[in-house]
Amino acid sequence: MSNLVRSELLKIRTTSTWWWLAIGAFLSIAMAFPLNAWLFNTAVEGNAEDVGLTGDAASAPAQAANLYTSGQYLGLMFVMLIGILMVTNEFFHQTATTTFLATPRRTAVIVSKLIAASLLGFVFWLVTTVIDLGAGAIFLTLNDHGTLLGEWEVQRALLLNLMAYAIWTVLGVGIGTLITNQLGAVITASVLYLIGTQVVSVLFFMLSSWLDSLAVLKWQVLWPAVASQVMITPGENEMLPAWWVGVLVLIGYALVSGIIGVLLTRRRDIS
Amino acid sequence: MSDGQSRPTNDAQIVVSGLSKQYRNVLAVNNLSFTVEPGRVTGFLGPNGAGKTTTLRMLLNLVTPTAGTATIGGRRYPELAEPLRHVGAVLEASSAHKGRTGINHLRVISAAAGLPRQRADEALALVGLTPAAKRKFKGYSLGMKQRLGIAAAMLGDPRVLILDEPANGLDPEGIRWMRGFLKGLAAEGRTVLVSSHLLSEMQLLADDVVIIAAGQLVRQGPVDQVIGSMAQGVRVRVRTPQAEALTSALAGGPARVQTDEHGALLIAGVDAPTVGRAALGAGVELHELTTERPDLERVFLELTAGKAGIR
Ligand SMILES: Nc1ncnc2c1ncn2[C@@H]1O[C@H](COP(=O)(O)OP(=O)(O)O)[C@@H](O)[C@H]1O
Ligand SMILES: [Mg+2]
């Protein structure tokens, strides 16, 4: 198995795809960090309501947590795309034949892709977090708040961010096995990630006013991107499920897509 | 070990038995059985769409058979302990990532199969691709791609080689290189199974042939035997403006005379000197007098007549 994981990591290292996605992730940090820094200042200066922040979410630790995970929104999409490409590349470049000749045990191939994907998610998290920690600590210290790194809320956000990166990469592998067409998988997943969330929230809003129930909104968590958001959002209320619900939903998606991926791949004719 | 002599032989024998594959509306392979022996080059022949690729892919566990089995050394491909050390394959529609270098392509495979890292360099050298090691696959010519495929197949120094249409896209020099390479592997005692529809090439390369058409076995055996088994042996081709006079001069002897589509005479049962002498005796003017030996192409066309074509 370790041979296979090594081979999967080598596949990623020996093409330039990951490099482009890494650049994308860094750009997304570069865009998100100033915005989050501005949000932090607005919130701690007491103008939280102006930017739609209330209660816990407006506290300095919550805003610090947000700052230290800057770039997560697009970063998660990029690792998902890497996961997808790890599978669809095999069909697009017709390397599936070679891969399954070297390892006819197909379950092992998919499992090693899942392991390699989560390792890659870890590396993405590590690098983005190091950048965020550096920039965030400097920003907060210069503004006389201290680093706020001692706060459990901040630490928890960093750890859950790690989990999010690992799970979304794994989810990408699952999606790739379901939709082996490279372009089809990449477009479907990106559109669902970027636009799907807005569509889902509009639908739930309509449903909630029709049923005259705010509790319905909680069920948005079933949508993976929302689950990811819930997971890193502190607090819980009528409309917002607890963070661990988001964790469970995401793990559920990762497991289901992984299992379906293995089953499909075992049966598929490579011709 | 007491069975030290027989084991390598058994390990490298390919046995296809009752193999069938039904695609949605095509019976691509239909109850096919044949064996392939070590130490020989076996040509796997059939018209386009005969089911060659499907058969080889079933042998390698890439396509699941509808019925039947295909084994290498008595075991199905996924049951082999170290498949790449046992079997090397070069298939159609197997390729490399366009943006990956040749050497890295081989390293990825070596890593997956648990082979030592330097095998990638050795395999590349074996096919003469070392100068292009660090070039990306998308910059490779067709012939270089084919060589890289062979290098990948040779990574594990396997006892069994399976190649699907390896001559496709090669220039004459490349084809000659491939012929020598495969013959050399067979001479070392390895099993070499090569599919092709290029019959003249196969006649130069193969020791044995397995001929299929429309998914079914048509003939299997050593090339000479398969050719010799055909009704038509050696024939003499004659072109003459006085065909009737020559035909009557030969009448009453063992000669059987036919006319081909261009009006030339095809005479079986006698040799060229006999025909020449008969012509001289009858005062018949000859424009051509050649001996035609049956070749693989003729045999193949006769055996697969009416079964070729798109299915
Ligand atoms: N994946 C597939 N799905 C449906 N039909 C297929 C598939 N692969 C091959 N076939 C059909 O099976 C038959 C045999 O094809 P193939 O094995 O490629 O023949 P060959 O390699 O001898 O040219 C053809 O009629 C082909 O169209
Ligand atoms: Mg073919």
Side-chain angles (χ1 to χ4, degrees), chain A residues 269 271, chain B residues 23-29 46-55 63 92 164-165 195 212 310-311:
Chain A
D269 281 345
S271 58
Chain B
Y23 282 120
R24 199 167 303 161
N25 40 28
V26 189
L27 185 55
V29 176
N48 279 330
K52 302 181 294 295
T53 297
T54 306
T55 302
V63 167
E92 277 183 322
D164 196 6
E165 309 269 3
S195 89
I212 67 169
I310 310 297
R311 285 187 292 151

Side-chain angles (χ1 to χ4, degrees), chain A residues 3-230:
Chain A
N3 282 339
L4 280 179
V5 174
R6 234 165 23 87
S7 173
E8 288 302 327
L9 292 174
L10 192 58
K11 282 180 191 173
I12 295 160
R13 277 202 291 123
T14 51
T15 59
S16 53
T17 321
W18 71 273
W19 189 219
W20 288 109
L21 293 173
I23 290 174
F26 294 140
L27 286 181
S28 66
I29 291 183
M31 289 190 302
F33 191 87
L35 178 72
N36 289 335
W38 173 75
L39 278 178
F40 181 94
N41 273 341
T42 311
V44 296
E45 282 159 15
N47 302 322
E49 304 279 348
D50 297 351
V51 286
L53 294 169
T54 52
D56 285 346
S59 70
Q63 281 306 307
N66 188 41
L67 187 64
Y68 281 129
T69 54
S70 291
Q72 186 198 46
Y73 179 64
L74 288 179
L76 289 184
M77 186 178 83
F78 289 131
V79 294
M80 171 183 72
L81 290 180
I82 290 187
I84 289 175
L85 291 177
M86 284 175 72
V87 180
T88 57
N89 261 337
E90 300 266 10
F91 294 94
F92 185 75
H93 293 284
Q94 299 185 323
T95 50
T97 294
T98 325
T99 299
F100 290 134
L101 283 177
T103 322
R105 293 164 295 121
R106 297 192 188 174
T107 307
V109 171
I110 298 299
V111 169
S112 63
K113 281 189 191 288
L114 293 171
I115 295 173
S118 37
L119 288 176
L120 213 68
F122 173 75
V123 171
F124 249 76
W125 170 83
L126 193 66
V127 175
T128 54
T129 298
V130 164
I131 295 174
D132 276 337
L133 283 179
I138 292 171
F139 171 82
L140 292 175
T141 311
L142 287 181
N143 286 284
D144 296 330
H145 297 288
T147 62
L148 291 172
L149 282 173
E151 299 283 337
W152 166 234
E153 196 165 340
V154 171
Q155 295 163 1
R156 198 193 67 153
L158 293 179
L159 291 177
L160 289 174
N161 195 26
L162 164 61
M163 191 141 166
Y165 271 102
I167 292 180
W168 278 90
T169 326
V170 165
L171 210 55
V173 172
I175 295 171
T177 55
L178 295 179
I179 312 175
T180 49
N181 180 287
Q182 178 123 291
L183 208 58
V186 166
I187 290 177
T188 308
S190 310
V191 166
L192 286 180
Y193 186 84
L194 294 173
I195 301 170
T197 311
Q198 274 70 24
V199 174
V200 165
S201 84
V202 168
L203 288 180
F204 270 91
F205 222 79
M206 282 159 55
L207 193 65
S208 131
S209 54
W210 181 54
L211 294 173
D212 200 16
S213 147
L214 280 180
V216 170
L217 292 178
K218 271 192 173 179
W219 291 95
Q220 288 185 73
V221 73
L222 288 178
W223 185 253
V226 176
S228 191
Q229 216 51 54
V230 166

